[in-house]
Amino acid sequence: MAWYDVISTPVGDVFVGGSARGVHRIEFVRDHRNGAPGHYDVAHWTARVEGDAGQPAAHDAEAARGAIEELREYFAGARDVFTFALTPVGSDWQRAVWRELETIPYGTTTTYGAIARKLGRPNASRAVGASVGRNPIAIVVPCHRVVGGDGTLTGYAGGLDRKRWLLDHEWSTAARGGARASAVLVAAG
């Protein structure tokens, strides 16, 4: 059975969902009912995890514990990369872009054009941008580290305020040093 949990963070609640294969989704929860934090309908995110995993999903804090603990460490400034398996579902091109995102060092940024050039498609900046925008694993697959060609902050599915916060958090954490581990991207369909 697939699983999910929700973590409260300094930038809002975050949905974490996966299965025995690994984490499929880490997404900012934006659909609050009555504007009350912590009160939302998780059906949208649960359905997405069920689609990714190909099986029903249920709230399971124990199954999500490892990923949740590492996210808490990240927000506390004690972790700058992650150790849990990632299984994002997307096209071959999307997964290639997402793998490239994982190579962006903590506390640094790159551009859509630079990623396109690294992937051997120098004219594919917009295609890179579209794939970055569809990244289902926020924070861990660090799409927030991608900026416009002139260095300005550009679109972020979680909102530009969150993008700015994440970058500022990483820059300040990197300036004082942080723990290291490694993420594992598992090939998924």
Side-chain angles (χ1 to χ4, degrees):
M1 175 164 281
W3 49 263
Y4 71 87
D5 200 0
V6 178
I7 179 177
S8 293
T9 77
V11 289
D13 292 345
V14 174
F15 176 92
V16 180
S19 68
R21 295 187 338 236
V23 172
H24 299 292
R25 293 192 172 270
I26 298 176
E27 298 181 289
F28 293 102
V29 176
R30 294 184 300 272
D31 186 22
H32 293 270
R33 286 187 278 173
N34 303 323
H39 298 283
Y40 40 79
D41 180 4
V42 297
H44 169 76
W45 293 280
T46 304
R48 293 174 77 162
V49 167
E50 289 174 342
D52 294 342
Q55 56 190 271
H59 179 257
D60 187 340
E62 182 59 29
R65 185 173 51 87
I68 297 288
E69 285 177 3
E70 290 190 21
L71 284 166
R72 284 192 175 117
E73 291 169 358
Y74 169 86
F75 283 107
R79 175 173 296 278
D80 52 18
V81 291
F82 300 86
T83 62
F84 50 86
L86 307 176
T87 54
V89 176
S91 69
D92 290 345
W93 170 254
Q94 288 171 329
R95 288 192 315 272
V97 170
W98 300 336
R99 280 190 298 274
E100 194 59 41
L101 294 177
E102 290 186 275
T103 70
I104 306 169
Y106 183 90
T108 66
T109 60
T110 192
T111 65
Y112 300 98
I115 293 171
R117 287 187 295 279
K118 283 185 175 185
L119 292 172
R121 293 184 57 194
N123 297 320
S125 295
R126 289 180 189 228
V128 167
S131 294
V132 168
R134 295 191 56 96
N135 171 25
I137 303 182
I139 303 163
V140 178
V141 178
C143 51
H144 61 277
R145 296 181 192 154
V146 184
V147 297
D150 62 358
T152 58
L153 293 186
T154 55
Y156 183 62
L160 289 180
D161 288 345
R162 283 185 176 126
K163 184 172 189 168
R164 167 58 59 202
W165 191 96
L166 293 168
L167 290 172
D168 287 346
H169 171 70
E170 290 185 4
W171 291 332
S172 67
T173 301
R176 65 178 194 273
R180 288 244 173 231
S182 61
V184 179
L185 182 63
V186 177

